[in-house]
Amino acid sequence: MKELIISIKPPDKILKGAGIPNTSFIPSYIYKLNIELINNSNQSRLCSFSSTLGNGIRYLKNMEHTGPDNIVDKIKIVEPCEDVYNNNVIVFANNINLSPNSTNIITLDIGLCDKYTIDCIENTGDKISHKEKIHYYGHLICESYVDSCSAVSLACDYELIVKCDADKLQKGESTKYYIHCRTGQYDMARSVYVRCVLDNGLEFIGDSSNLQPEKVYSFNGKTIIKWNVGSLQPSEIKRIGYMVKVKEDIEQGNVLKSKLNSNCVNNSTYTQCPSSCEHLLTVE
């Protein structure tokens, strides 16, 4: 086991939006980024660290710290600056003391800009495309020892997520799923559709959806449901709710999967924006 470890934990997917405007009725798509500093040794360590955030990432304040060591006052945030040709947010601290067997976590609010954001200097290139990888890097230094890490987020123009009222059900019980179709702050999506594939042990409850499905049919024992969602304006969220039931002939302990995929056209770039997700339901 390494004695000193740094890790960066950004969101897996991040919708494009700089957190502006941050209002109660327009989604601002502010995400949390964690930087973890771990000392696994039985001795205090005097260290320095630096983390370079990805292309297009903007720091949106609200830095928080959890852990045994008083390191917050030494943490600095370097904002992008054209004068020194720096387009990345850099988080760093010098000469911080990490106590024995400790974990310190630094949490930041971030958003993802693109080249069309007003006064944007975070993005070094062109407009960030759907599913482009955003890279993060970190280094923890103690004397001659260096631990390094990296992480990746996927930038999104459009995102599909699913939530459910339950993760475990008994035979014959029903639950409700919630699909969220979301666009970023900069682009309109058109021709949005959602398709759901239910495992053989799940039964779709007819007339339970708030949006009437275009098609419901069976294929290889699975139930296929397709919705036409239409168009979404920038920062718009459309929600689909529907109910499913666990069939009586399914065995206890089975894990039933609901797989969802969606696609749409970015009305600005005329490109496809596919997205997918899934939910697992355990039969008790």
Side-chain angles (χ1 to χ4, degrees):
M1 179 186 295
K2 293 190 293 186
E3 288 192 349
L4 295 171
I5 301 171
I6 183 172
S7 63
I8 301 177
K9 297 182 179 179
D12 293 332
K13 298 178 181 179
I14 182 166
L15 277 166
K16 290 190 291 183
I20 303 169
N22 181 10
T23 70
S24 60
F25 60 94
I26 297 179
S28 54
Y29 301 126
I30 297 175
Y31 294 84
K32 295 292 185 182
L33 171 78
N34 287 347
I35 302 170
E36 292 190 2
L37 308 175
I38 300 174
N39 178 11
N40 285 317
S41 73
N42 294 322
Q43 297 178 345
S44 295
R45 299 293 188 186
L46 187 65
C47 303
S48 298
F49 85 92
S50 67
S51 298
T52 302
L53 309 190
N55 177 45
I57 296 296
R58 174 173 288 181
Y59 170 53
L60 297 174
K61 313 303 179 184
N62 293 329
M63 184 175 68
E64 298 177 352
H65 167 258
T66 58
D69 302 314
N70 185 19
I71 64 175
V72 173
D73 293 340
K74 292 190 175 182
I75 298 173
K76 308 296 182 183
I77 308 289
V78 176
E79 302 278 6
C81 178
E82 288 182 325
D83 293 339
V84 294
Y85 303 102
N86 171 43
N87 295 85
N88 296 88
V89 174
I90 300 173
V91 185
F92 73 96
N94 294 322
N95 299 321
I96 56 174
N97 187 68
L98 301 182
S99 57
N101 299 304
S102 63
T103 298
N104 289 272
I105 302 174
I106 304 152
T107 302
L108 313 172
D109 281 355
I110 61 170
L112 179 62
C113 302
D114 70 11
K115 199 64 173 179
Y116 295 96
T117 305
I118 297 173
D119 297 326
C120 173
I121 59 172
E122 288 86 351
N123 184 358
T124 60
D126 296 325
K127 184 176 174 66
I128 297 170
S129 60
H130 180 67
K131 288 196 172 180
E132 183 173 324
K133 291 183 178 180
I134 308 298
H135 297 272
Y136 310 77
Y137 300 95
H139 305 282
L140 179 60
I141 303 168
C142 179
E143 297 179 346
S144 62
Y145 176 86
V146 179
D147 185 59
S148 299
C149 69
S150 62
V152 171
S153 293
L154 288 181
C156 295
D157 295 338
Y158 166 79
E159 183 184 25
L160 178 76
I161 62 174
V162 63
K163 299 179 181 180
C164 185
D165 283 341
D167 293 322
K168 297 180 180 180
L169 284 181
Q170 296 182 359
K171 299 178 184 180
E173 290 186 332
S174 60
T175 188
K176 191 167 187 177
Y177 281 95
Y178 307 88
I179 300 171
H180 298 243
C181 304
R182 315 193 304 175
T183 51
Q185 289 190 332
Y186 310 128
D187 300 295
M188 172 183 171
R190 58 181 174 85
S191 303
V192 181
Y193 77 82
V194 176
R195 186 178 68 168
C196 174
V197 181
L198 298 177
D199 269 355
N200 185 36
L202 293 173
E203 176 185 344
F204 173 65
I205 299 177
D207 298 325
S208 66
S209 178
N210 63 311
L211 179 64
Q212 185 65 27
E214 181 191 25
K215 293 179 182 178
V216 180
Y217 60 97
S218 297
F219 181 75
N220 287 341
K222 300 178 184 290
T223 301
I224 317 295
I225 315 162
K226 183 178 179 181
W227 292 271
N228 278 331
V229 180
S231 298
L232 279 74
Q233 299 297 318
S235 291
E236 184 176 3
I237 302 174
K238 286 189 177 179
R239 298 172 176 85
I240 303 171
Y242 61 99
M243 297 190 70
V244 300
K245 180 180 179 181
V246 178
K247 295 180 180 179
E248 295 287 352
D249 58 353
I250 197 71
E251 293 185 5
Q252 185 178 0
N254 275 13
V255 178
L256 305 177
K257 184 181 295 184
S258 298
K259 297 181 66 176
L260 298 103
N261 61 75
S262 181
N263 205 347
C264 63
V265 177
N266 184 318
N267 207 48
S268 300
T269 59
Y270 302 103
T271 55
Q272 301 286 320
C273 300
S275 184
S276 61
C277 59
E278 64 179 32
H279 180 268
L280 302 179
L281 191 65
T282 303
V283 181
E284 293 185 309

